[in-house]
Amino acid sequence: MHNIADLLHGFQVALTGYHLALMVAGVLFGILVGVLPGLGAPNGVTLLIPLTFSMDPVSAIILLASMYWGALFGGSTTSILFNIPGEPSSVATTFDGHPMAKQGRATEALSYAFLSAAFGALFGVVVITLLAVPAAKFAHKFSSPEYFAVYFLAFACFVGLGGASPFKTLVSAGMGFSLAAVGMDTISGSLRLTYGLPDLVKGVSFLVAVIGLFGIGELIATMEERLEFRGVHARVSPRDVLKTIAALPAYWVALIRSSLVGCWMGITPGGPTAASFMSYGLARRFSPRSDRFGKGEPEGVIAPEAADHSAGTSAMLPMLALGIPGSATAAVMMGGLMIWGLHPGPMLFVEQKSFVWGLIASMYVANVVAVLLVLFTVPLFAAILRIPFAIIAPLIVMVCFVGAWTVSSSPFDLWLVLAFGVIGYLFKKCDYPIAPLVLAMVIGDKAEDAFRQSMIMHAGSLGAFWSNWLCGSLMTLAILLLLWPLIASLFRRRVATTPAEMPVRE
Amino acid sequence: MLVSRRGLAIITALLALGFGAAIVLGALEYDVGWDERGPEPGYFPFWMGLVVIAGAAGALIEAIFARDQTAQAAITLDQARRIGLFLLPMLGFLVLTVALKLGLYVGMIAYLFTVMLWQGNYRLPATAAVSFGTAAFFFVMFEHWLKVALMKGPLEAWLGMH
C-alpha cells in the first residue's frame, strides 16, 4: 500500500503551523464568501488566485481548497437561517432546512447540515485517497487522442446528463471554447479572434469571466428581487450538537447513498449542484417519511448536504489525476495550478508528490477544522447579513472589480467584468448552465492542443480517435451521451401512451 | 411587464446567435480548413462558432414553440428599474475609472458615495466613513500588505502616492 506512506507524508506537509493557519484563514474567508450573496465558491477562489502567485503551490492550494470547504458550509448556513442559498449547490437545503428553522429547530437543522456535510466530505476524501493512484496509473496510458476523448466525454456528460436543455449547454460550452481561443494561438502563433483590438491579444482570462458571471451576474439577479434578510436567530449549543450526533447514525442509509451520489456526480462533471438535487430527490422517493419532506424533515437536510460536500471534494480527483475538473470551482483551481506552473494530470503524482498528498491530507484536516469553526462562528456570520444590503452589495461590487484588476492589471478587464455580469444574468434567467462555459475556458487550449496533436500524430485522420480500444470506447461513449437527449425523447414518445412515472426533475 | 419569459428567451437566443456569428467571422481571418498536418489555426474557433450557432438556433426554436410559461413575466417594469439603478452607478464607476483614467480609488469613492447617498438614503457622515474607509482598507491591504498596485490616476500622482 503505497497510498498509506504517501498519505502520511502528506500529513507531515499539511500539519505545519503555517498550513494550519492558512486552513483557518481559508475556511473563515470561505464561510464569509459563502454567506454573502453574489460571492460564491468559484468567485472566492478566483479572487484569491492572484494573491497566491508568490506563494508555494502546496500552501496556495491548501488555502484555496480550505476556502472552498468554508464556502460550502457558509452556503448551507444562509439556506437554513434565511431561506437564501448562499451557493447554488445549497438550494436543495432550503427545502427542509428553513422550515425546520422556522419551527424553532434551527440549531438542530444546522447541526444536521454541518455534520452530514462533514461526513460527505470525508467520504469523498477517502474515495480520493483510494482511487488517486489507480486513476493516475490509468491516465498514464493516455496520449493526445485519449486526452481529447476525455475532454470530449466531459462535455458530452453536460449535454447528456446535465438536466438543462442540450441546446443551451452547447451554447455555453461553445462560447467557452471560443473565448479560450481568443489571443495568441499556442501552436501557430497567430493572433486569433482579436478583431483588431490590442486588448484582446493577451486573451480573455477565465478569472475575469468567473468574477463577472458568478459575481456581478448573481448580484443583478439578487437586485431584481427586493431583498430582505429576515432570518431566524441561531446559537449553537454544545448539548444540541451532541444530541444531533447521537441521532445521526439512524440516517446511515441516507448518508451513504447521498455520499455515493455526490462522489459519482463529482467525479463525472455533474457537479455539486446537480448532486444535491438528485440526492434530495432520491431521499424523498425512498424515505419512509416521504410525506414530511418539505415541511422540516431532517433527512431532507442530510441528503443534499452530504451529496453537496462529497461532490465538492471528489471533484478534485479528476482534476488532479486527469486534468479535468469536476465542478466550476475545481475548474478555477485547475486554472490556478496551471498559473503556478504545474501540469494537472498523471505526471503530477510522480513529479509533485508532496503537492498532491499534501493537498489530500489537508482535505482531511481542513474539513474537520471547517466543521468546528462553522459551528462556533454561525452567530457571527449570521450577524453580517443583518448589515443592510444597500451597503453590502456595493462593497461586493468593488471587491469584484478590484479582484478583476489584480488578475493582470488591465483596465479593459474591468469592462469585461460588466459584460460577463450581464451574460451571467441572462444565462441564469433563461436557464443556460454556466459551468460548461467556465470549464471550456479553462481547458479550451489544452483540448485544442490535444486535438491538433492527435491530428498531427495520425496524419490528419479522425480515425486517430478510434485507433485503440481505450480511446475508441471513450469516444463512442461520449457520442452516445451527446445523442442521449435525442434517444431519450424518442424513447419517451414511445412509452407516453402508458402513464409513466416521471423521475424527479431538477 | 417589460418582457415575457418567451420574449427574453428569444432575445437571449438571438444574442447567442450573434455571438456565434462573430466568432465564425473572426475565425475566417485565418484558414479554417486542413493542411497535411491537420487543422489550421482558424479551424477550431470556426467550428466552435458553428456549435454556438447550432445551439442558439435550437434554443430559439425551443423558445418560440414553448407551450408553458409564455405569458409569464421574465422581468417586470419594477424589476427592470431596480436592475437599472444597480447597473447605472456601476457604469459611472467604469467611465470614471477606466475611460477617464482616474483610477480605482477615485472611482471607488465616487461610486460608494453615489450609491449610499442616493440609493441607500444614508447621511453624509456614514457615507463618507464607509467610502473613504473602504478605499483606505483596499490601499493598506493591496499596496502595503500584498504589494499589488491597484490602478491609480492623476490624483494619486499629484499627491505623490505612486
Side-chain angles (χ1 to χ4, degrees):
Chain A
M1 289 292 279
H2 286 293
N3 291 18
I4 304 286
D6 287 334
L7 188 63
L8 285 177
H9 171 66
F11 274 111
Q12 279 174 357
V13 175
L15 284 174
T16 61
Y18 174 54
H19 284 162
L20 282 173
L22 279 182
M23 283 179 212
V24 172
V27 166
L28 285 177
F29 183 64
I31 300 174
L32 177 67
V33 154
V35 164
L36 292 173
L39 287 176
N43 213 327
V45 174
T46 306
L47 292 170
L48 278 184
I49 282 183
L51 310 181
T52 62
F53 288 164
S54 57
M55 283 167 93
D56 182 42
V58 191
S59 314
I61 192 78
I62 287 178
L63 176 67
L64 295 191
S66 306
M67 206 233 73
Y68 187 14
W69 318 138
L72 289 174
F73 280 109
S76 337
T77 309
T78 48
S79 290
I80 291 170
L81 293 183
F82 295 92
N83 204 23
I84 296 164
E87 297 279 318
S89 61
S90 38
V91 172
T93 310
T94 60
F95 299 161
D96 279 280
H98 192 61
M100 277 181 87
K102 278 203 293 202
Q103 294 158 16
R105 293 152 72 204
T107 317
E108 204 187 329
L110 286 171
S111 312
Y112 272 123
F114 297 152
L115 293 170
S116 48
F119 179 88
L122 291 176
F123 191 96
V125 190
V126 171
V127 168
I128 294 192
T129 312
L130 296 176
L131 289 185
V133 172
K137 275 210 182 103
F138 173 67
H140 244 323
K141 298 190 185 118
F142 281 27
S143 71
S144 297
E146 284 82 7
Y147 271 115
F148 180 77
V150 174
Y151 294 139
F152 189 52
L153 182 63
F155 284 94
C157 277
F158 276 124
V159 175
L161 308 172
S165 147
F167 295 118
K168 294 174 180 172
T169 311
L170 279 182
V171 169
S172 176
M175 277 176 80
F177 279 117
S178 310
L179 289 165
V182 172
M184 179 87 79
D185 171 22
T186 42
I187 291 186
S188 69
S190 30
L191 295 175
R192 297 187 297 182
L193 302 176
T194 56
Y195 305 96
L197 288 170
D199 285 312
L200 283 175
V201 172
K202 66 174 170 52
V204 179
S205 165
F206 70 96
L207 295 170
V208 174
V210 170
I211 291 174
L213 290 169
F214 287 96
I216 304 296
E218 200 79 26
L219 277 176
I220 300 176
T222 314
M223 274 295 163
E224 187 187 278
E225 276 124 50
R226 199 187 301 279
L227 194 65
E228 276 173 82
F229 296 116
R230 243 189 251 112
V232 179
H233 280 276
R235 200 168 294 275
V236 182
S237 76
R239 247 190 75 208
D240 287 325
V241 176
L242 287 177
K243 261 202 307 206
T244 319
I245 294 181
L248 203 59
Y251 296 102
W252 66 276
V253 182
L255 277 171
I256 291 176
R257 183 186 53 223
S258 310
S259 303
L260 283 172
V261 168
C263 283
W264 170 249
M265 298 300 271
I267 291 172
T268 62
T273 308
S276 59
F277 276 105
M278 190 190 242
S279 169
Y280 184 87
L282 285 172
R284 187 170 56 188
R285 181 177 254 193
F286 291 112
S287 168
R289 294 174 302 277
S290 54
D291 54 319
R292 283 173 47 196
F293 272 67
K295 297 172 198 144
E297 164 61 38
E299 206 179 328
V301 177
I302 291 169
E305 280 300 308
D308 177 7
H309 284 243
S310 87
T313 41
S314 49
M316 306 290 272
L317 176 67
M319 177 194 100
L320 291 171
L322 301 171
I324 299 157
S327 72
T329 314
V332 179
M333 282 195 212
M334 195 181 107
L337 253 68
M338 299 196 294
I339 294 172
W340 304 325
L342 301 180
H343 301 283
M347 287 315 284
L348 205 62
F349 285 76
V350 182
E351 290 166 355
Q352 303 283 343
K353 259 203 158 114
S354 297
F355 175 85
V356 173
W357 290 101
L359 168 63
I360 293 177
S362 87
M363 287 162 75
Y364 285 98
V365 186
N367 272 300
V368 176
V369 170
V371 179
L372 293 177
L373 275 177
V374 79
L375 280 172
F376 290 114
T377 55
V378 158
L380 187 73
F381 284 103
I384 287 175
L385 281 186
R386 293 179 214 286
I387 301 174
F389 199 63
I391 296 182
I392 292 272
L395 288 179
I396 297 175
V397 170
M398 285 302 105
V399 169
C400 288
F401 280 107
V402 169
W405 168 265
T406 58
V407 171
S408 63
S409 304
S410 153
F412 181 72
D413 282 349
L414 301 183
W415 287 110
L416 280 180
V417 167
L418 183 63
F420 277 111
V422 174
I423 295 176
Y425 169 72
L426 285 176
F427 268 34
K428 209 178 151 70
K429 268 310 243 199
C430 299
D431 299 319
Y432 286 73
I434 296 181
L437 196 159
V438 177
L439 230 63
M441 281 191 80
V442 172
I443 68 172
D445 279 344
K446 286 165 75 92
E448 188 187 353
D449 287 354
F451 180 73
R452 281 158 79 176
Q453 272 155 13
S454 334
M455 289 302 98
I456 292 170
M457 280 159 62
H458 289 83
S461 148
L462 282 175
F465 299 116
W466 278 271
S467 57
N468 64 51
W469 66 268
L470 176 61
C471 192
S473 42
L474 285 172
M475 275 312 258
T476 311
L477 181 62
I479 288 173
L480 276 177
L481 273 173
L482 211 53
L483 296 176
W484 182 249
L486 200 70
I487 302 168
S489 75
L490 287 176
F491 185 71
R492 210 172 291 147
R493 208 160 291 163
R494 197 159 296 167
V495 294
T497 43
T498 56
E501 199 188 342
M502 286 296 284
V504 185
R505 266 309 182 99
E506 284 165 22
Chain B
M1 176 169 94
L2 182 76
V3 58
S4 68
R5 293 199 79 85
R6 183 206 294 257
L8 191 69
I10 292 175
I11 293 169
T12 307
L14 286 175
L15 287 175
L17 211 59
F19 183 93
I23 295 295
V24 167
L25 285 179
L28 283 173
E29 274 184 49
Y30 291 95
D31 253 324
V32 297
W34 294 59
D35 62 7
E36 65 280 9
R37 298 192 310 127
E40 308 247 12
Y43 177 85
F44 194 73
F46 176 74
W47 282 96
M48 283 303 132
L50 286 187
V51 165
V52 175
I53 289 178
L60 187 64
I61 293 168
E62 266 184 352
I64 291 171
F65 291 101
R67 274 162 296 182
D68 49 350
Q69 307 183 326
T70 45
Q72 279 177 32
I75 305 172
T76 62
L77 273 176
D78 198 35
Q79 286 173 334
R81 199 181 56 87
R82 274 201 293 276
I83 294 173
L85 283 177
F86 177 62
L87 286 179
L88 204 65
M90 218 191 293
L91 209 61
F93 161 79
L94 284 174
V95 168
L96 283 182
T97 307
V98 184
L100 298 176
K101 295 193 173 68
L102 291 181
L104 273 167
Y105 293 108
V106 174
M108 182 185 299
I109 291 170
Y111 171 77
L112 291 174
F113 240 95
T114 317
V115 173
M116 282 185 69
L117 270 186
W118 174 41
Q119 291 173 1
N121 293 320
Y122 285 92
R123 287 163 190 279
L124 194 62
T127 305
V130 170
S131 41
F132 282 100
T134 308
F137 173 78
F138 274 115
F139 185 79
V140 171
M141 177 161 164
F142 283 94
E143 314 278 337
H144 280 271
W145 195 40
L146 298 165
K147 306 278 176 219
V148 176
L150 297 188
M151 186 184 180
K152 294 189 202 65
L155 182 69
E156 286 90 345
W158 183 68
L159 288 170
M161 283 163 81
H162 264 295

